[in-house]
Amino acid sequence: MRIEPREAPGRLLTLGVPVLSALVALALAAIPLMLAGAPVAAAYVEMARGVFGSVFAFSEMLTRATPLIFTGLAAALAFRARLWNIGAEGQLYLGAMAAVAVGSGALDVPGYVLMPLIVVLGAAAGAAGMVVPTVLKTRFGADEVVTTLLLNFIILIFLQMMLEGPLKDPMGLGWPQSAPILDQGMLPQLIPRMRIHAGLILALVLAGIAQFMLARSVWGFRLRAVGENAFAARHAGIGVNRTMLSVAVVSGGLAGLAGVSEVAGLKGYLTADLSPGFGYTGIVVAMLAGLSPLGVVISALFIASVFVGADSMSRAMGVSSYLADLVVSTSLLCVLIGGFFARYRIVGAGRKAHG
Amino acid sequence: MADILQILLSESFWAASLRIATPLIFGVMGALLCEKSGVLNLGIEGIFVAGAMAGWMAVWLGLGLWGGVLVAALTGAFFGLIHAILTVPLGLSQHVSGLGVTLFATSVSYFAYRTALPNVSSPPRIEPFRGLDIPVLSDLPFVGPVFFQQTALTWLALIMVGLVWYVLERTPLGVAIKAVGDNPDSVDAQGLSVYGLRMGAVVAGSALMALGGAFLTMSAFDAFFFGMVNGRGWICIALVIFASWKPGKALLGALLFGAFDALQVRLQTQVGAVVPGQVFLMAPYVLSIFALVIAARRAEYPRALLKPWFKGQR
């Protein structure tokens, strides 16, 4: 028995593998459900109802998908260039901090000035958070996986310091939270009495732009060349370090926008538990999407459905909501294994391999 | 300055340094073993969580402290096996697989803990390992508190450093593990199994990592908390690079790290009024990045690290 690469994985395999992986992960959730003593079929029905049961439930799922599209895009673009940005969680908080720093009363300007300012500064803060580890990589050879992971912890502690210090809401009754963003700075709501906001539109537009840039622009070509073979790219005259830096700016900026969108679109003020790991989940979103920007949108919708559905199921049945994290991490492992079978075939010893 | 000197001369400071270093010693030895064979194991953070949870729960269920240690090691080996299968025979991205194992091990642990204990406001406690009480030795001045009043797990960690060093440097198995991390083709040419060696190293290394987690719930504390591992796994990955993949240097790195951490806690109580506490909390992570930056260029990487190898394919 031996392993050999397929000539070119067909369209069916590239699309089928992630879908199948997601379904397998969802089906495997039956095991923990049984162990927790929940009626399995009823639990799945409850999960589905939690997402598709009402317009409100569906809008909640879209609300939850919004930050995941941003962090998923951040991971997908960086990973395409083999820049391992595992720091989206920290960059998300940098973006959110920038948003409340400028948006919660420091500047009392009209909305058409304040809102774009919040978005741009939030993205810039996130970008800065990825430029630092990228420079440490290109200048000193410090592995960006480790530095971005460690920066997540540093930024979270820095956030706590800010929330107890300069960013603390004087009216917050002593809670470590920021002052609310001014009304005119908030991203508009899309549907009355629902929480879904314009951050989703921004995320979708950026996913479209990312798809186009990646496939059609010179920048996208350079990015892919660096990711596929940095050595060859350098010989072809592509500035590898410059390309890495530009990817870092875009990737960090997207992660920063996740923070902006959560704080200026949803919560209104900043606390240290703004993100339940959106940065890390973004990696799963990106992998499920096969690192394709448009795929990110679809896989973000799936992952958000798992979270929202499991939340509502756990409230109804008393099963721990960590079930959602279990499904999400299982789907990452499944898509990895599935990706292997899409790229390679296992040939029995007796059969002659062709090609 | 005199204050710092006083801290550095106190036995409690050195005892704390070794105590804080213990989980890191397990972690760096585990990570080092994996990476020497050519496999980066970013599952470490989740394996720490799983070891902490499984070890604690085994004790809580009545298996005894050493039963807990065994359960933790087996749990680590299990998650290590997942990473080993994904990265060695399947040759998948070690980065992504490792992160996947971290997310999976963490969510399995949290889900299991919440399912076993649905409604506890304060986490249940176990009777943890106590400091050793060896006649004469434990009563020695200075050396007694620093070394001989530590818990058995700290000694286990130090023994593991010796064991890893001995295996890697003095046995044919160690030669083979190092060779498979440098030049797998040569190992294959000698008729040894590249897959077997790499998978064995990853499984054994992951068991060691899990012991680092078990130390947290069974020696440093007496209960399991969410988020208690707090990046210790990632710090170990940085320390291994800092140590240039040498067991002795890795031990030194972990001890230095423990000493810095013990020092910052003590300084914090002295200057806490002037400097926000968070500055000190950041210190270990900043220090790790700093260590990485100064060491990265001259580190001697195992040459086949991160490179998948397929049988019959050059």
Side-chain angles (χ1 to χ4, degrees):
Chain A
M1 220 177 72
R2 52 199 211 82
I3 292 162
E4 65 173 38
R6 289 179 197 276
E7 281 127 52
R11 183 165 281 266
L12 189 68
L13 272 171
T14 24
L15 288 177
V17 162
V19 173
L20 199 64
S21 311
L23 292 178
V24 168
L26 210 49
L28 284 174
I31 299 171
L33 278 172
M34 262 187 284
L35 291 176
V40 173
Y44 278 110
V45 171
E46 197 60 51
M47 270 193 258
R49 194 180 296 160
V51 181
F52 303 105
S54 66
V55 178
F56 180 75
F58 194 72
S59 80
E60 279 297 285
M61 185 277 283
L62 293 176
T63 310
R64 185 71 75 98
T66 305
L68 292 176
I69 298 176
F70 284 117
T71 56
L73 289 174
L77 289 178
F79 285 17
R80 268 289 182 92
R82 297 245 176 131
L83 178 68
W84 299 101
N85 178 7
I86 322 292
E89 188 75 7
Q91 291 142 24
L92 179 155
Y93 278 115
L94 287 176
M97 274 189 271
V100 293
V102 67
S104 60
L107 283 178
D108 198 355
V109 289
Y112 57 83
V113 179
L114 187 57
M115 215 185 301
L117 200 62
I118 287 176
V119 170
V120 169
L121 284 179
M130 188 54 208
V131 164
V132 171
T134 308
V135 169
L136 292 182
K137 174 195 172 78
T138 54
R139 289 289 289 277
F140 301 101
D143 184 23
E144 77 279 20
V145 177
V146 188
T147 50
T148 52
L149 277 166
L150 291 169
L151 273 169
N152 287 340
F153 291 88
I154 295 173
I155 293 166
L156 200 60
I157 297 169
F158 178 71
L159 168 73
Q160 284 156 2
M161 192 161 100
M162 289 298 111
L163 290 179
E164 285 171 19
L167 287 180
K168 185 173 179 168
D169 183 6
M171 317 291 272
L173 302 171
W175 291 104
Q177 66 181 43
S178 78
I181 288 189
L182 300 177
D183 281 343
Q184 73 265 32
M186 290 289 287
L187 304 176
Q189 302 299 108
L190 294 183
I191 307 171
R193 289 189 303 283
M194 291 191 192
R195 303 202 299 163
I196 181 170
H197 54 86
L200 178 64
I201 310 289
L202 182 61
L204 293 175
V205 169
L206 288 176
I209 295 176
Q211 180 80 29
F212 177 81
M213 294 290 284
L214 195 58
R216 299 286 164 83
S217 74
V218 177
W219 178 75
F221 172 76
R222 287 200 185 117
L223 186 159
R224 285 182 283 130
V226 168
E228 272 151 33
N229 191 338
F231 186 72
R234 188 169 282 127
H235 271 266
I238 294 175
V240 172
N241 287 354
R242 233 190 13 217
T243 308
M244 286 273 182
L245 263 181
S246 71
V247 175
V249 167
V250 173
S251 172
L254 284 163
L257 285 178
V260 170
S261 144
E262 282 301 279
V263 80
L266 190 63
K267 300 283 169 63
Y269 55 89
L270 177 57
T271 55
D273 60 357
L274 180 76
S275 159
F278 287 135
Y280 300 104
T281 311
I283 295 167
V284 186
V285 169
M287 290 307 295
L288 264 184
L291 306 186
S292 125
L294 286 184
V296 161
V297 174
I298 297 166
S299 69
L301 293 176
F302 167 72
I303 301 278
S305 303
V306 170
F307 274 110
V308 172
D311 263 358
S312 121
M313 186 276 301
S314 79
R315 273 195 302 275
M317 312 205 139
V319 176
S320 161
S321 59
Y322 283 113
L323 185 76
D325 300 86
L326 209 47
V327 174
V328 168
S329 55
T330 314
S331 58
L332 175 57
L333 296 180
C334 288
V335 81
L336 272 173
I337 298 170
F340 172 81
F341 287 108
R343 273 180 286 124
Y344 297 95
R345 68 174 104 226
I346 293 177
V347 185
R351 261 177 58 190
K352 179 107 176 74
H354 51 85
Chain B
M1 225 33 229
D3 293 339
I4 295 185
L5 204 64
Q6 204 173 4
I7 291 173
L8 289 179
L9 288 174
S10 72
E11 52 188 29
S12 78
F13 163 73
W14 290 103
S17 301
L18 185 53
R19 191 172 59 240
I20 295 168
T22 302
L24 302 177
I25 295 174
F26 279 120
V28 282
M29 287 305 140
L32 188 136
L33 196 54
C34 297
E35 290 174 31
K36 270 287 177 192
S37 81
V39 182
L40 174 71
N41 188 353
L42 292 182
I44 185 169
E45 182 82 3
I47 291 172
F48 257 74
V49 177
M53 209 292 293
W56 173 86
M57 187 162 277
V59 179
W60 186 68
L61 292 172
L63 286 180
L65 284 169
W66 288 106
V69 171
L70 186 66
V71 168
L74 290 174
T75 309
F78 168 75
F79 287 109
L81 184 63
I82 297 179
H83 185 60
I85 292 171
L86 290 177
T87 55
V88 180
L90 297 189
L92 296 166
S93 158
Q94 296 179 6
H95 285 121
V96 185
S97 166
L99 291 167
V101 169
T102 279
L103 293 176
F104 184 61
T106 307
S107 52
V108 167
S109 308
Y110 287 3
F111 183 80
Y113 181 82
R114 263 285 161 263
T115 304
L117 303 157
N119 298 310
V120 286
S121 48
S122 69
R125 295 177 186 285
I126 58 166
E127 189 62 43
F129 277 101
R130 290 184 176 283
L132 297 175
D133 186 11
I134 307 167
V136 187
L137 288 178
S138 296
D139 300 325
L140 288 173
F142 199 81
V143 186
V146 172
F147 286 105
F148 299 107
Q149 292 177 22
Q150 300 281 358
T151 68
L153 283 184
T154 297
W155 277 92
L156 184 64
L158 294 174
I159 293 168
M160 285 302 164
V161 177
L163 189 68
V164 169
W165 176 83
Y166 179 79
V167 169
L168 284 178
E169 301 299 329
R170 289 289 181 272
T171 65
L173 176 66
V175 172
I177 291 175
K178 287 191 291 186
V180 91
D182 269 333
N183 188 350
D185 284 331
S186 75
V187 174
D188 184 54
Q190 290 180 14
L192 294 169
S193 166
V194 174
Y195 292 165
L197 283 164
R198 283 192 167 171
M199 291 179 71
V202 172
V203 169
S206 303
L208 276 178
M209 294 169 179
L211 293 183
F215 175 85
L216 295 177
T217 47
M218 297 166 61
S219 187
F221 302 96
D222 53 6
F224 177 77
F225 309 99
F226 294 98
M228 76 187 302
V229 173
N230 217 358
R232 281 184 179 81
W234 310 134
I235 288 172
C236 291
I237 298 289
L239 281 177
V240 172
I241 301 173
F242 176 69
S244 203
W245 289 270
K246 295 194 170 58
K249 274 190 171 176
L251 171 66
L252 194 70
L255 288 174
L256 260 177
F257 202 91
F260 269 113
D261 215 21
L263 185 66
Q264 62 96 353
V265 173
R266 280 157 180 77
L267 283 179
Q268 198 174 347
T269 55
Q270 293 188 0
V271 295
V274 204
V275 186
Q278 284 94 350
V279 172
F280 293 98
L281 289 177
M282 273 183 212
Y285 307 106
V286 176
L287 206 65
S288 302
I289 292 182
F290 191 68
L292 204 58
V293 167
I294 56 171
R297 280 273 186 252
R298 55 175 178 76
E300 293 161 31
Y301 289 75
R303 266 166 299 175
L305 184 65
L306 294 176
K307 296 199 179 86
W309 180 91
F310 294 115
K311 189 159 180 62
Q313 191 182 306
R314 298 244 169 138

